[in-house]
Each structure stands twice: as structure tokens, then as C-alpha cells.
């Protein structure tokens, strides 16, 4: 099958590599010419575990190619996947649909034979109808269907999730489109749940899922606040809760709040979408506000440990919004650091996300190229991303390098006793 992917970012690129590995002829399109040039030269434009190897193999097998030309990419495609961004609109904070609508208008003239336009971007309910209208208006002769094919991959595990999805949701209103998508996902037959629903249901499933996971995180964070006051321990509480199969262990890690390119924008978009329909989603609204406040509270917690120190140095471990990715979009670390700037000298280390953080903070903070430099002469060190490398830090050595031994483990990665044995004044979350 010939597959064109419009938008070669965190979703488009791993999807392209995955579909090419099944033997499809995949062409990834992006309007960012620097990105396409780098990919054509074999350089990945984002970090994902295992991606480089499969990328090299599929390119070498001539199953995967890259272009900035919509004409070259879309002409003759059986399926065109939309994977462009839907960031929050700068003013309304609703999903900004300009990239989707532009892509629909740009691709329409090149539709010749029957084509399925499959939307993987996270979009408000009814977007499929709007895309259909744009394409029909731009190219009245086009023979096509628009389906919703929401993406559930986790950054950091994008390839793993591509090959091992919990479910594939397809929102298709036509039998012909359903058959073509079934063929595209044939390699998953019998291996995962394939759910065919109405297009509007499919669009809603994505927002409903993300909002639910965000609420779960906010819930455990509020429970952590309760544990700190009551003398309980959130790790033990989460373990006990998670053993209930109706609840499960996932998304019960208390921390500095959720971030990333999806949860913050998708919860806001969901709440605003509901407002438009006259439905009050108070749970989601509470989650959004509580999560925003949490990052500020975490920064205050850190500053509190150095409040009587002149010209304090604060070390930061982690800049990415979670481990396994270089993505710093809406990262709690970024938000927390922005509250610290001006009150302390910040030295931060991240194994993958430094160059993205540098684009945000420039010279306002110092970037370390190793963990030791973060602890050296620091008055406090805060763990803001749960990278596995951080878990194996020699705590005794780290403590001996510091001026004041304040360790704020906002991801609960260290055993409490180890930190105290290393003579840290140690604070974690929820105990
Ligand atoms: P991204 O910003 O990494 O990539 C989007 C790409 O689209 C960019 O490279 C941009 O240049 C390109 N683009 C925009 N308009 C274009 C056009 N008209 N023609 C060609 N290229 C164009 O975004 P992402 O993180 O991959 O997210 C894409 C969508 O998938 C969003 O709606 C997001 O909410 C959703 N999603 C993301 C994730 C995730 O983990 N990142 C997970 C599930 C769903």
C-alpha cells in the first residue's frame, strides 16, 4: 500500500517507520524543509528508543522516504495520514485547527484514485466533517473518505506502542474506508483490539482517554498532599490502590504534575469543547487548575530550602517532561525552573533534552553535561524527571559534593533510607 504521512513529528515519524517496516511504501511529508533535509540525510530529528535502527533499515529497503512536496507525497497514495500539530490556540486555548485545515486544503488537489484521509492528530469532535468539506470544496472530483484514527502512543515508547497497541480505534462512516484501514492494520489482526466506531465517537475517545489519565495523575497528587499531612506514605497507598484491578497501578505515581505536548492542551481543549455544547466538565476543570498550581507549589518547595542562603545554587536533574524523550513541551521541569530563575543560579542536566531546553531558557540557566556538575557546590538539588540514570546516582558521593545537602526528590526515585544515610536533608512527594 502507498501511505503518505502529513506531518513528520513525534507521531508522524515513528508511525511512518512502523508502517514502512510492514512493507508499505511510506512517504513522510513536512513543510519544515530543515527537518526533511536532515531526515533525507539519515539524521533523526527527535529522540525515540530504537527508532534510528528501524529508520535506517526501512530507508535502506527503499520503503521510507521524505519530501516537502505535497504533490509528490500524496499523488497515488491509498491512505493519507494527517499527523500535524494541534497546539492550543494562542488566544482561545482551544485546539488550533489551522494546521489540519491547511493540510486538508493543500493535499486535496492531488487526490486522484480513491483515497482514505486518516486523521491521527488529536482534534475536536466534528473535525472529520470539516476536513471532508474542505477537500470537497477544493477538489469536487476527489473520491475519498475521511476517518478518525486517533493515536495513543507514549513518547519515549513510540515504537514499542506502535507494534504493541492496547487498541486501534477507527472512526469510519463508510464501509469502503473501513476495509482499507483494516488492510493497512492487517499485521495486527488477532493481536490487538480493533474497534470500529462512529467518527465522532472516535474523536471523542482520544480526548476522553487523555482527560481521564490526567485526572488520575492529579488525583494521586492530591492524595500525596493528604499523605504528607496525615503521616501516610503515598507509595504504599498507591501500591494498595493499584492492586485493585478496577484501578490498576499505572498513572498512580505522585510527582510534580503532568506535562507534555498532550495532557495540558487536551484537557483544556476538552473542557472548552464541552462548554460550547453547554456541558460543564467540572472534574476536568479542577484537574487543569490543580495541575497548574502544583508546579508553582513545587517551585516554592524548592526555594524554601535555600531561603536563608545568599546567592544559592540549585541543581536540577531532568528537563524533559518524562524520561525516554527529548520533548520539553509543557514539561513540569521547564515550568518549575521558570519560577526559580531570578532567585537562584540554576544548573540543569538532562541526558536528551538539553538542546530543547536551551531554546527556551537561553543563557538564563547553566546546562551541565554530567550529573556531578549538578551536585557540585549546590545548595539544593531537585529531581524533576525520572530518568533511570538518576536512580543509580551514588548518593554518598553526591552529598559530599554539595554546599548544603538538600535533596528534593519530586519523582520519588530514591529509597528514603538511602538518601538519609547519605546525610541528605531529603524531601520526596507524599510522605
Ligand atoms: P509535532 O509538532 O512533533 O509534529 C507536527 C509536524 O507537522 C511538524 O513537523 C510540522 O512542521 C508539520 N506540519 C504542520 N503543518 C503541516 C502541513 N500543512 N504540511 C506538512 N507538514 C506540516 O506534533 P506531534 O507531537 O507529532 O503531534 C501531532 C498530533 O498528534 C497532535 O494533534 C497531537 O496532539 C497528537 N498526538 C501526539 C502524541 C505525542 O505523544 N506527541 C500522542 C498522541 C497524539
Amino acid at each position: 500500500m502507498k501511505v503518505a504521512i502529513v506531518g513528520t513529528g513525534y507521531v508522524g515519524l515513528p508511525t511512518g517507520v512502523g508502517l514502512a517496516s510492514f512493507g508499505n511504501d511510506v512517504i513522510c511529508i513536512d513543510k519544515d524543509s530543515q527537518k526533511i533535509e536532515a531526515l533525507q540525510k539519515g539524521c533523526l530529528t527527535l529522540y525515540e528508543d530504537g527508532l534510528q535502527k528501524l529508520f535506517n533499515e526501512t530507508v535502506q529497503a527503499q520503503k521510507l522516504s521524505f519530501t516537502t512536496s505535497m504533490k509528490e507525497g500524496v499523488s497515488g497514495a491509498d491512505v493519507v495520514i494527517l499527523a500535524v500539530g494541534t497546539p492550543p490556540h494562542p488566544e482561545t486555548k482551544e485546539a488550533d485547527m489551522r494546521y489540519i485545515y491547511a493540510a486538508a486544503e493543500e493535499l486535496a488537489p492531488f487526490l486522484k484514485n480513491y483515497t482514505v484521509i486518516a486523521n491521527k492528530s488529536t482534534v475536536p469532535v466534528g473535525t472529520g466533517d470539516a476536513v471532508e468539506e474542505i477537500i470537497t470544496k477544493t477538489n469536487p472530483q476527489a473520491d475519498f473518505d475521511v476517518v478518525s484514527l486517533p493515536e495513543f502512543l507514549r513518547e519515549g515508547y513510540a515504537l514499542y506502542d506502535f507494534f504493541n497497541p492496547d487498541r486501534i480505534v477507527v472512526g469510519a462512516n463508510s464501509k469502503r474506508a473501513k476495509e482499507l484501514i483494516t488492510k493497512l492494520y492487517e499485521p495486527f489482526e488477532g493481536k490487538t483490539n480493533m474497534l470500529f466506531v462512529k467518527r465522532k465517537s472516535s474523536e471523542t475517545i482520544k480526548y476522553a482517554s487523555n482527560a481521564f489519565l490526567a485526572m488520575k495523575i492529579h488525583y494521586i497528587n492530591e492524595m500525596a498532599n493528604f499523605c504528607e499531612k496525615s503521616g501516610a506514605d503515598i507509595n504504599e497507598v498507591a501500591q494498595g490502590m493499584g492492586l485493585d484491578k478496577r484501578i490498576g497501578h499505572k498513572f498512580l505515581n505522585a510527582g510534580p504534575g503532568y506535562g507534555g505536548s498532550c495532557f495540558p492542551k487536551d484537557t483544556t481543549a476538552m473542557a472548552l469543547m464541552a462548554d460550547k455544547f453547554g456541558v460543564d466538565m467540572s472534574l476536568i476543570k479542577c484537574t487543569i487548575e490543580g495541575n497548574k498550581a502544583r508546579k508553582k507549589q513545587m517551585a516554592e518547595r524548592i526555594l524554601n530550602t535555600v531561603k536563608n542562603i545568599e546567592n544559592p545554587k540549585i541543581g536540577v536533574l531532568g528537563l524533559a517532561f518524562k524520561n525516554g524523550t527529548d520533548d520539553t513541551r509543557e514539561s513540569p521541569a521547564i515550568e518549575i525552573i521558570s519560577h526559580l530563575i531570578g532567585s537562584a543560579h540554576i544548573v540543569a542536566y538532562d541526558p536528551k533534552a538539553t538542546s530543547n531546553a536551551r531554546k527556551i531558557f537561553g543563557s538564563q540557566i547553566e546546562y551541565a553535561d554530567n550529573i556531578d556538575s549538578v551536585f557540585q557546590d549546590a545548595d539544593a538539588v531537585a529531581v524533576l524527571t525520572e530518568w533511570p540514570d538518576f536512580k543509580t546516582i551514588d548518593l554518598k558521593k553526591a552529598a559530599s559534593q554539595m554546599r548544603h545537602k538538600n535533596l528534593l526528590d519530586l519523582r520519588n526515585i530514591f529509597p528514603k533510607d538511602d538518601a538519609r544515610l547519605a546525610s541528605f536533608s531529603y524531601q520526596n512527594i507524599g510522605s
Side-chain angles (χ1 to χ4, degrees), residues 163-393:
F163 289 108
N164 304 279
D166 287 341
R167 78 287 210 198
I168 295 167
V169 174
V170 186
N173 295 345
S174 104
K175 191 167 166 257
R176 211 171 163 199
K178 233 161 130 173
E179 282 167 6
L180 200 68
I181 295 295
T182 305
K183 197 168 157 214
L184 182 66
Y185 281 99
E186 213 162 49
F188 294 101
E189 210 184 317
K191 293 186 186 146
T192 190
N193 301 302
M194 193 119 178
L195 180 68
F196 289 95
V197 293
K198 273 165 72 169
R199 197 163 62 196
K200 283 186 175 176
S201 304
S202 171
E203 290 166 341
T204 306
I205 285 170
K206 175 64 193 175
Y207 278 115
S209 303
N210 272 4
F212 186 81
L213 293 173
M215 286 194 293
K216 201 170 173 191
I217 294 173
H218 184 56
Y219 180 82
I220 203 68
N221 285 340
E222 286 200 330
M223 209 45 82
N225 290 343
F226 175 79
C227 289
E228 285 169 11
K229 298 285 181 202
S230 67
D233 181 325
I234 194 64
N235 291 335
E236 293 174 359
V237 172
Q239 200 184 359
M241 286 170 65
L243 288 170
D244 183 332
K245 290 195 183 70
R246 295 168 303 175
I247 298 175
H249 288 290
K250 291 184 178 156
F251 286 77
L252 285 186
N253 300 318
Y258 61 77
S261 69
C262 292
F263 287 1
K265 82 170 171 67
D266 292 348
T267 44
T268 303
M270 180 71 233
L272 291 171
M273 207 162 46
D275 280 347
K276 278 198 168 163
F277 285 102
V279 179
D280 180 25
M281 295 223 148
S282 59
L283 278 177
I284 298 178
K285 287 178 183 166
C286 234
T287 298
I288 295 167
E289 289 314 313
N291 190 63
K292 268 188 207 152
R294 183 153 187 89
K295 295 172 196 169
K296 197 157 174 244
Q297 288 154 11
M298 293 296 120
E300 283 161 4
R301 225 178 247 208
I302 299 168
L303 285 175
N304 205 30
T305 62
V306 296
K307 68 174 183 241
N308 297 321
I309 299 170
E310 222 176 296
N311 301 323
K313 170 183 164 179
I314 297 177
V316 166
L317 288 172
L319 294 161
F321 83 92
K322 64 174 185 177
N323 79 77
T325 180
D326 61 351
D327 198 346
T328 52
R329 289 179 287 182
E330 300 266 350
S331 169
I334 299 297
E335 177 82 20
I336 290 169
I337 291 170
S338 65
H339 288 297
L340 304 180
I341 288 174
S343 303
H345 176 62
I346 316 293
V347 180
Y349 170 74
D350 188 288
K352 298 288 174 202
T354 302
S355 81
N356 280 335
R358 206 186 285 274
K359 289 179 203 152
I360 301 167
F361 293 126
S363 57
Q364 293 182 88
I365 67 168
E366 190 183 326
Y367 306 92
D369 53 18
N370 58 65
I371 294 172
D372 278 351
S373 310
V374 169
F375 284 95
Q376 193 63 51
D377 299 324
D379 299 295
V381 167
V383 180
L384 301 185
T385 313
E386 70 287 28
W387 283 100
D389 291 6
F390 300 160
K391 293 184 185 166
T392 56
I393 288 173

Side-chain angles (χ1 to χ4, degrees), residues 6-12 29-32 35 70 83-86 99 103 106 120-122 151 153 155 206 261-262 265 329:
V6 184
T8 311
Y10 285 91
V11 168
I29 307 162
D30 207 289
K31 63 178 184 182
D32 180 341
K35 205 176 251 192
M70 200 61 103
V84 299
T86 46
Y99 306 103
E106 290 159 17
K120 268 201 174 294
S121 299
T122 303
E151 180 54 63
L153 67 76
E155 278 180 34
K206 175 64 193 175
S261 69
C262 292
K265 82 170 171 67
R329 289 179 287 182

